[in-house]
Amino acid sequence: MLFITIWPLFALICLGYVLARKGFPDAGFWPAAERINYFLLFPALLVSSLVDAPLGDPQILRLGAAALVVILLAAVGLALARRLFPAPAARFGPALQGTVRFNTYLGLAVTVSLAGDVGIERAAVYLAICVPVVNVLSIMALSEREVLGRPGALVRTMLKNPLILACLAGITLALLGLGLPYGLGTFMELLARGSLPLGLLCVGAALQPRALGRDGLVVGGNAALRLLGMPMLAAGVALVFGLDGVEALVLVVFSAIPTAPTAYVLTRQLGGDGTMMAGLVTAQTLAAIVTIPLVLLVLGYG
């Protein structure tokens, strides 16, 4: 039943890969589709999901705290490992992103498939907390200590991120109890409906199998850490924080999904090892076809 629920999501990823390799509809479509989703459709999904979220629910507060603990424990663990195995920022940055970043499209799609509207509401809260954190950690890992001397630049970078802005807007509306009146809710929901399928198609279009030919051991080890180690860590943290039901599911799902394709863009922008990052994204996305159902089944979420 779990496989039947999840395989259509990966079928969309595979379809996106095939369409892009066949040049359909044309080479310029996929970057444009990714931009419209990233700057318009996906933010609409976040706002419409957060606006009615019960932010005062203790379970949601525990979910947020548990999410931060999982990400920070992983980041600290990698930083300690770097002391034993020194690596330049150009390679440590991709390694950290491969471990703590997550493919938001796939995470939301899996959560919706398994938990419906309640799941997407809880997932939006998870994203509101974790998206800024993983972005800051990623920039710091790729920039060494330089970014610490320019906190203003870091804040400006965060405030240009449409996902962070959407999360701030949704949380503000939820706290104020304003909602989305005068048909704005319907407008946002209509925009949001296209986000997940288009996002999954774009994930497939961005895959680069040729990048798998280099750093095989590093890529494989990082994939195991992300796809197997992180969900096990999340399951343990969920027990410590007393999470169950949908909240525990969201924490585990977003720890079990592959890293974000946008990590490749950030890596290139900040002078990191783009080939290594492309290999991590591709390997994890392909392996996740098997690992996500397996992990959810073993941990009792299937």
Side-chain angles (χ1 to χ4, degrees), residues 101-123:
R101 292 192 72 164
F102 42 83
N103 188 322
T104 48
Y105 303 135
L106 184 55
L108 278 172
V110 172
T111 303
V112 171
S113 298
L114 297 176
D117 291 340
V118 175
I120 199 169
E121 189 178 80
R122 299 308 194 264

Side-chain angles (χ1 to χ4, degrees), residues 97 101 206 208 260-269 273-279 281:
Q97 290 188 91
R101 292 192 72 164
Q208 300 182 39
T262 49
Y264 173 76
V265 178
L266 181 64
T267 299
R268 291 291 299 272
Q269 287 178 343
D273 190 332
T275 302
M276 176 183 172
M277 192 70 248
V281 172

Side-chain angles (χ1 to χ4, degrees), residues 249-265:
L249 174 67
V250 167
L251 185 65
V252 170
V253 165
F254 275 86
S255 300
I257 55 176
T259 189
T262 49
Y264 173 76
V265 178

Side-chain angles (χ1 to χ4, degrees), residues 82-100:
R82 189 185 185 191
R83 290 182 175 273
L84 297 175
F85 306 98
R91 290 179 65 80
F92 179 69
L96 181 131
Q97 290 188 91
T99 304
V100 303

Side-chain angles (χ1 to χ4, degrees), residues 151-164:
L154 180 60
V155 171
R156 286 193 295 273
T157 299
M158 293 299 101
L159 292 179
K160 289 179 182 177
N161 186 311
L163 305 189
I164 294 175

